[in-house]
Structure formats: C-alpha cells, structure tokens
Amino acid sequence: MILPIAKLPSKVLRKETEEIVFPLKKDIKRLVLDMLETVKKADGIGLAAPQVSKSLNMALIYLTESGVPPFMLFNPRIIKASKQTVEIEEGCLSMPGVFGLVERPKKITVEAEDLEGKTITLTDDGWIARVMQHEIDHLNQTLIIDKFKNITKGEELLTKYSEKK
Ligand SMILES: [Zn+2]
C-alpha cells in the first residue's frame, strides 16, 4: 500500500522515534513493504518511518538506480565518521521542490539491526553514506532545512513548509 508522505510543517517529523524490537511484529513487516512501495512511487532514494507518519526508528535505503539492492536500517547509529566532509545538494520527500547544499562527513560507519534483528555494520564513502546520514537524521528529528548551507532551488517554497506559524 502506498502511504501518504508527511511534509513540513507536519509535527510528526519532529517527534521522537521508538526503538524497534525483534522479532519484528507483523505490522512492522507490513510497514517495510509499504515503505518500499511508497519510496518507489515517490521516486525517492530513501525513506524514514517518520516520513510516513510512523514514529519508529527505522529507515529504508533505496538506491536501486545506483545498483544497490534496497535495504532497511533498524535502530541505526553512526559509530564512526570521517573528519573529511563534503558538501552535496540534497532534497527531501518531506519538502518537495527545495534543494540546498548540506555538509556531511564523507565516510561513515553505521551499525544497525537487519530484518532478522542481527547487528550489521556498514561503511561507505559515497551515495550510501550520504543517504544513510540523511535518513538517520530523520530518525533523530533533524531535517535538511536545519542544515542547509545555502538553498540552491525552491526558496520560494520555504514559507509553505515553515514550522513557525
Ligand atoms: Zn528526507
């Protein structure tokens, strides 16, 4: 089922997320499938549960166009980040049309649980690292609007997404 995507200023994007416990409950397994369908339909490259109005500590990385099979991160934490940073233009499905430069560590190591509850460790310094950091930010109620160095596109949409109303 395709789920509606929460957009700013929706408060759910700023709500604390709940840890995922294993074995996964039926409704979480269903949510994984729904998130897959939703990100595909939205033409996204990642989706965090709060973006589909679920305050749960889980996110989907969907970089199939870069040849990476889709994978889930449950309770992810960044355990290592490089001093070297890179500035890359990012957008967000929760703020469509707005793009800006975001500075982040180039290389990170993430620890998370997989679908079976097994702890996995992932290290990357390319797109996967980028998208994982963006999604983990969502799980910690941080949005790119908090991090923009400058806006490259869609500045006129900012009033629409403003949380100060
Ligand atoms: Zn986002």
Side-chain angles (χ1 to χ4, degrees):
M1 188 172 77
I2 291 164
L3 304 170
I5 295 179
K7 301 190 176 68
L8 276 174
S10 172
K11 286 195 169 54
V12 75
L13 296 166
R14 300 293 192 183
K15 215 173 139 196
E16 211 172 304
T17 57
E18 211 176 288
E19 290 291 299
I20 305 296
V21 289
F22 293 91
L24 290 180
K25 291 199 187 95
K26 230 184 185 165
D27 57 334
I28 303 275
K29 287 185 185 170
R30 184 166 308 126
L31 177 61
V32 170
L33 298 176
D34 289 345
M35 284 173 70
L36 253 171
E37 256 188 82
T38 304
V39 80
K40 223 184 282 183
K41 177 80 200 302
D43 212 9
I45 53 177
L47 189 68
Q51 292 183 278
V52 289
S53 302
K54 307 281 180 201
S55 299
L56 297 166
N57 197 349
M58 57 190 267
L60 168 66
I61 309 299
Y62 192 78
L63 282 164
T64 45
E65 271 188 31
S66 308
V68 182
F71 64 93
M72 288 298 301
L73 296 171
F74 295 98
N75 311 320
R77 50 268 174 200
I78 295 171
I79 56 167
K80 227 163 109 186
S82 64
K83 280 209 187 77
Q84 190 194 353
T85 59
V86 275
E87 276 180 31
I88 299 179
E89 187 182 57
E90 288 187 27
C92 181
L93 293 176
S94 295
M95 209 177 37
V98 181
F99 294 85
L101 285 180
V102 180
E103 183 178 11
R104 298 185 189 275
K106 180 169 168 54
K107 186 177 177 181
I108 56 155
T109 299
V110 170
E111 206 175 75
E113 273 72 63
D114 68 5
L115 284 159
E116 272 76 49
K118 207 180 91 204
T119 300
I120 50 166
T121 308
L122 294 147
T123 301
D124 189 67
D125 62 1
W127 278 112
I128 300 175
R130 210 6 95 153
V131 180
M132 285 198 300
Q133 289 180 85
H134 179 115
E135 302 311 329
I136 292 170
D137 270 356
H138 272 297
L139 302 175
N140 295 299
Q141 301 82 52
T142 299
L143 300 163
I144 50 176
I145 189 120
D146 311 327
K147 293 195 159 184
F148 279 151
K149 298 202 88 177
N150 66 299
I151 293 174
T152 49
K153 219 166 121 186
E155 196 156 7
E156 70 282 1
L157 296 167
L158 286 180
T159 44
K160 175 176 157 192
Y161 296 130
S162 173
E163 293 164 280
K164 299 180 196 90
K165 273 176 191 164

